[in-house]
Amino acid sequence: MDARNPTTNGTTTTTTTNGAAAHDDTAAAAAGPRAPIITTMSPYTFPVDKLRQRLTRPGKTPLVLVACGSYSPITVLHVEMFRMAERHVESSARQHPARGSGSGDGGGADFEVVGSYLSPVSDAYKKPALAAARHRLAMCERAVARTDIMVDPWEALRCDAATRAPVYTSTVDVLCHVDHEINRDGGGIETADGMGRVRARIVLLMGADVAATMGDPRLWPTPDVDVILGHYGAFVIERPMQTRIDDALADLHKYDDKIWVVAAFENDVSSTKIRAQLKNGERVLDLAQPVYEYIKTNDLYYEETGHAKANGAGAMF
């Protein structure tokens, strides 16, 4: 796995095979050739402007939702996933105020959502039709401007300090990064009575279509899945038109107590479908207006490369 220690404020981090990090040239030299120095392409600060710093209800565990993905482009469903997860938590708390966690009845009753983060992948992901990270970050910021969701650019900005080339960051490392930033140095979230602080629970937010791939070790290294689902856990949004939830979780039963299933309406929203609609000049309904305007202004998605123009899908709404 990649290093789990984050790069903060644009300083360099030496990546090592055991997850240790060093922030100076001496430590980097000691690490030897196996430890490339990772930095960020521009100064970086972990976003906390929308993080709720204090619980509103006593006895709850602060919950932070983290969604990783390409977001090329970000859709209305990507944003709605956070709302669905938060409604699930609130509904569970009302129905089962004293019950525990897991994918069974009452899951989420002990949580209070205090933070929501989008983490777009870097350009090193090399996915077809992947718009440049700067465009995807800008679209994400526009999509969540009037929500409680924050965009963490850390993953998208990470690069090799020597070559400035973007580097790939695994999902497990993103979760570890968010965990570190929120819970480090005895941090966490203030209790409802203001008398102390409690460690925030970091979880992955994903669709059932993504969960369906996690049992394949060719796509997800087993040690990574053990940390993602075994240590952190995940809220899985149903995608009934893509995969049956039972099929999606069939290979993940060992993590049942840390997987929370969130019911969702039937939909076929996807970035792939939207790119095709933009390319063909069709009417697009599943993009927020500011995102669509950004795509049009910056000539994105006319071709499958993700770097040409939008071909004027002017009748979007």
Side-chain angles (χ1 to χ4, degrees), residues 92-310:
S92 297
R94 288 193 299 269
Q95 295 174 29
H96 308 287
R99 298 185 66 169
S101 62
S103 56
D105 188 28
D110 289 339
F111 293 133
E112 180 180 334
V113 177
V114 297
S116 299
Y117 288 92
L118 286 168
S119 181
V121 299
S122 79
D123 292 338
Y125 191 55
K126 302 295 185 183
K127 183 178 179 179
L130 186 71
R134 62 185 179 87
H135 288 311
R136 291 181 287 109
L137 287 169
M139 288 187 285
C140 285
E141 290 287 2
R142 284 160 174 77
V144 304
R146 298 184 179 182
T147 74
D148 291 332
I149 303 168
M150 292 163 280
V151 180
D152 184 4
W154 180 76
E155 180 183 0
L157 294 177
R158 295 185 82 209
C159 66
D160 186 300
T163 66
R164 309 303 292 180
V167 298
Y168 171 77
T169 302
S170 67
T171 298
V172 68
D173 289 338
V174 173
L175 295 176
C176 291
H177 156 73
V178 175
D179 190 1
H180 171 81
E181 290 290 350
I182 293 177
N183 291 313
R184 64 178 170 179
D185 301 328
I189 303 300
E190 194 172 356
T191 55
D193 61 8
M195 300 299 292
R197 305 188 74 84
V198 60
R199 186 178 185 87
R201 177 71 176 270
I202 314 300
V203 300
L204 180 66
L205 176 66
M206 61 179 168
D209 52 329
V210 176
T213 69
M214 297 189 79
D216 187 344
R218 296 169 298 178
L219 300 175
W220 294 84
T222 299
D224 281 23
V225 177
D226 284 340
V227 176
I228 294 169
L229 298 181
H231 177 67
Y232 288 110
F235 274 65
V236 179
I237 309 295
E238 290 184 337
R239 298 295 304 275
M241 296 187 71
Q242 282 75 25
T243 181
R244 293 178 64 252
I245 191 65
D246 290 344
D247 294 338
L249 302 180
D251 296 325
L252 304 175
H253 286 308
K254 65 183 287 188
Y255 311 109
D256 274 354
D257 63 333
K258 292 184 179 177
I259 294 176
W260 294 267
V261 175
V262 180
F265 55 90
E266 289 196 9
N267 66 81
D268 62 349
V269 180
S270 72
S271 296
T272 301
K273 177 184 174 183
I274 287 173
R275 289 195 302 270
Q277 290 172 325
L278 290 168
K279 179 182 176 182
N280 295 330
E282 298 174 12
R283 190 166 186 237
V284 182
L285 297 175
D286 298 317
L287 288 175
Q289 184 67 28
V291 175
Y292 172 69
E293 294 295 341
Y294 184 90
I295 289 171
K296 203 166 63 166
T297 300
N298 289 275
D299 294 335
L300 300 178
Y301 304 119
Y302 177 62
E303 297 177 351
E304 279 303 304
T305 58
H307 299 290
K309 59 184 178 181

Side-chain angles (χ1 to χ4, degrees), residues 21-42:
H23 294 277
D24 56 54
D25 293 338
T26 301
R34 68 188 177 92
I37 298 176
I38 307 300
T39 187
T40 54
M41 297 177 186
S42 58

